[in-house]
Amino acid sequence: MNQSERRLFLIKELLKDNSRYSDMTIPLDTIEQKSLLRGLMNIRMPHSIDRKFLEIQDSYLQEEIRLKGITDASDLKPVKNSICVWQGDITLLKCDAIVNAANSGMTGCYYPNHRCIDNCIHTFAGIQLRQKCNEIMLKQGYEEPTGLAKITPAYNLPCKYILHTVGPIIYGNVSENDCELLKSCYLSCLKLAVRYELESVAFCCISTGEFHFPNDEAAKIAVETVENFLQKQSVIKRVIFNVFKDIDKTIYERLLSSN
């Protein structure tokens, strides 16, 4: 199968998987097909599917990632000591673990084609990630508290693991408790990384964007927490602050160069 054949197979199987969409017309345009496939993956509930689907999905996703181009964290130049700032797609980063800014349900974003990092990571890791997260949450029996973290395999992403953490949502002014919870997100992920002997970790900008934590305040907490933690351990060799916006890149580079 080539990529087009794989994509059409996956779309057809997902349409059959949900009777509400079984009679939907599949567009001919490649971009529209990719959008439809992503949307169908986003809305799919975490239940089992046959092995053939997973094999074809995995081949498709891994080839898509290869075509986009993988960035190896070991090739990044640190801004300070063992800390790097990288502006790019975190789903294309090869390292031991990337951090996902999750919601309290922990099974990903269900809004079709939403641009949040939670949606992106679950889309390109594959449907196994949602299934795994659902298993973890069913066993836990309650929503994930803010400030803690869980670890899962990364499935089809070039990293090895994903660290999922729920950041504080800001309504109005940022409180001292909000700051402590955000700090706890970073610490929880770092402690998990040490426990699993992970040498490289890439953090997204937790709680900014959809969760409305001011970018500059969030970055200060992130940098201070990571720097203090790295001084007290010997497992983690490299931390990457992954940014999407130009303003975040400027903020992180300024904070690290001024310390």
Side-chain angles (χ1 to χ4, degrees):
M1 277 187 171
N2 58 33
Q3 282 298 85
S4 178
E5 291 168 336
R6 293 183 185 113
R7 184 169 56 250
L8 285 172
F9 172 85
L10 296 172
I11 289 172
K12 291 175 181 177
E13 290 300 305
L14 289 172
L15 288 174
K16 287 192 296 184
D17 191 53
N18 192 324
S19 59
R20 291 177 59 191
Y21 307 106
S22 58
D23 59 349
M24 180 179 290
T25 301
I26 301 174
L28 298 176
D29 181 74
T30 297
I31 294 176
E32 291 181 1
Q33 286 182 4
K34 288 184 176 182
S35 178
L36 175 58
L37 175 57
R38 177 170 177 169
L40 290 170
M41 292 173 70
N42 296 156
I43 64 173
R44 185 181 188 275
M45 299 304 290
H47 55 267
S48 62
I49 201 163
D50 65 70
R51 182 176 296 180
K52 183 179 180 182
F53 178 93
L54 294 178
E55 289 174 352
I56 294 175
Q57 175 212 242
D58 292 354
S59 296
Y60 177 80
L61 292 175
Q62 289 169 26
E63 179 64 7
E64 286 294 293
I65 287 171
R66 187 192 69 80
L67 291 170
K68 290 177 185 177
I70 295 170
T71 296
D72 196 318
S74 63
D75 294 333
L76 300 178
K77 183 180 179 180
V79 176
K80 180 183 179 184
N81 299 327
S82 58
I83 301 176
C84 307
V85 177
W86 180 66
Q87 187 174 24
D89 183 346
I90 201 168
T91 66
L92 302 176
L93 188 61
K94 182 180 179 181
C95 58
D96 284 345
I98 62 171
V99 173
N100 177 31
N103 58 51
S104 59
M106 292 290 281
T107 58
C109 170
Y110 286 80
Y111 290 97
N113 295 282
H114 196 253
R115 302 221 23 209
C116 70
I117 192 170
D118 196 17
N119 187 293
C120 292
I121 287 174
H122 273 266
T123 296
F124 298 108
I127 65 170
Q128 300 98 313
L129 179 57
R130 176 166 287 168
Q131 292 170 324
K132 181 63 175 179
C133 289
N134 187 57
E135 290 174 11
I136 292 171
M137 297 310 292
L138 287 174
K139 184 176 181 180
Q140 179 166 287
Y142 54 88
E143 290 191 337
E144 182 72 357
T146 302
L148 302 185
K150 294 284 192 294
I151 187 169
T152 67
Y155 297 101
N156 292 293
L157 300 183
C159 57
K160 297 177 183 177
Y161 296 95
I162 303 168
L163 303 171
H164 307 260
T165 189
V166 182
I169 303 174
I170 304 303
Y171 303 99
N173 296 325
V174 178
S175 68
E176 183 177 340
N177 186 55
D178 292 327
C179 294
E180 287 300 314
L181 287 171
L182 183 58
K183 178 180 178 180
S184 179
C185 288
Y186 285 92
L187 286 175
S188 296
C189 290
L190 291 166
K191 289 175 182 178
L192 262 182
V194 170
R195 186 187 308 169
Y196 281 80
E197 300 183 341
L198 309 181
E199 294 188 355
S200 55
V201 179
F203 283 99
C204 61
C205 300
I206 303 168
S207 273
T208 59
E210 297 290 326
F211 283 15
H212 308 299
F213 209 111
N215 298 53
D216 53 350
E217 291 184 59
K220 289 177 184 176
I221 292 169
V223 169
E224 181 180 344
T225 304
V226 167
E227 285 192 317
N228 289 340
F229 189 88
L230 292 181
Q231 292 173 5
K232 302 171 185 177
Q233 60 81 53
S234 58
V235 174
I236 303 172
K237 308 299 183 185
R238 176 160 297 199
V239 168
I240 304 98
F241 286 117
N242 168 249
V243 298
F244 180 74
K245 298 178 181 178
D246 291 340
I247 183 64
D248 289 316
K249 185 173 185 288
T250 299
I251 291 170
Y252 275 95
E253 289 180 338
R254 185 185 71 242
L255 287 170
L256 289 165
S257 61
S258 64
N259 288 347

